[in-house]
Amino acid sequence: CRHQHIPVLGPDINESHLNFTVNKKGEIRFGMAAIKGVGEAAVRSIVEERDANGPYTSIFDFAKRSNLRAVNKRSMEALAMAGAFDTFEGTHRAQFFYRENSDDSIFLEKVIKFANSYQERQMAAQHSLFGEEAVEVRDPEMPECEPWSKPEQLKNEKEVTGFYISGHPLD
């Protein structure tokens, strides 16, 4: 692909499909099923929801709309490490793995807990006898932290995809 000047782009939660595909610009987009730890059921669930209700606007929108039985913590971590959430403005990969202290859970686990409680509230509101309106809950704030260094980013990409996607260590 490099010799023929065909760009191969990393996975993208709003553009990738199960397998490698060609986007509208003629670029090859990495398939989400090629990411270690992301199963076929998870990818099908992500793509079906995206096709039905439009592109995901943030990690919180993604988590709230996902089937959390199919798209579990391990698959979300692998998607984040591979760069599938890089499409969301104002975020970088290190934020998803940020811990405030050593006893704290990573931010991605907090996102999953938030999405679980959001989905439970949605189900409770649907089953309410009195037709109570759901209370709007604000999304948590993204943590402030330093982005990963290029070598660390490449190491994590290689770990979950088997390839260096956004560069090469010798560059």
Side-chain angles (χ1 to χ4, degrees), residues 16-65:
S16 293
H17 291 276
L18 186 66
N19 297 310
F20 288 74
T21 54
V22 177
N23 67 13
K24 294 173 185 168
K25 298 176 185 173
E27 303 161 325
I28 297 173
R29 181 61 78 173
F30 205 88
M32 287 188 281
I35 301 171
K36 296 172 191 159
V38 181
E40 189 173 323
V43 176
R44 289 194 191 286
S45 172
I46 292 167
V47 172
E48 285 172 10
E49 172 61 26
R50 182 182 70 206
D51 290 346
N53 297 308
Y56 300 104
T57 57
S58 70
I59 185 64
F60 306 108
D61 180 47
F62 170 75
K64 289 190 283 191
R65 290 170 46 189

Side-chain angles (χ1 to χ4, degrees), residues 134-166:
V135 177
E136 189 65 32
V137 178
R138 292 181 41 180
D139 294 341
E141 293 290 320
M142 291 295 290
E144 295 291 325
C145 64
E146 288 293 315
W148 283 340
S149 65
K150 195 65 168 178
E152 187 174 4
Q153 180 175 320
L154 292 171
K155 178 183 80 76
N156 288 323
E157 285 176 0
K158 177 104 164 114
E159 183 179 320
V160 295
T161 64
F163 298 98
Y164 297 114
I165 299 171
S166 61

Side-chain angles (χ1 to χ4, degrees), residues 89-150:
E89 204 170 300
T91 63
H92 55 82
R93 299 177 198 185
Q95 289 174 306
F96 301 114
F97 300 94
Y98 178 75
R99 293 178 195 267
E100 288 195 26
N101 57 51
S102 60
D103 299 334
D104 199 16
S105 58
I106 64 171
F107 184 70
L108 207 49
E109 290 174 4
K110 293 176 183 178
V111 170
I112 294 167
K113 287 177 189 171
F114 169 77
N116 272 321
S117 66
Y118 173 84
Q119 290 178 4
E120 287 171 9
R121 281 193 303 277
Q122 293 298 102
M123 290 301 292
Q126 287 179 356
H127 296 302
S128 174
L129 268 127
F130 305 109
E132 299 168 6
E133 290 188 29
V135 177
E136 189 65 32
V137 178
R138 292 181 41 180
D139 294 341
E141 293 290 320
M142 291 295 290
E144 295 291 325
C145 64
E146 288 293 315
W148 283 340
S149 65
K150 195 65 168 178

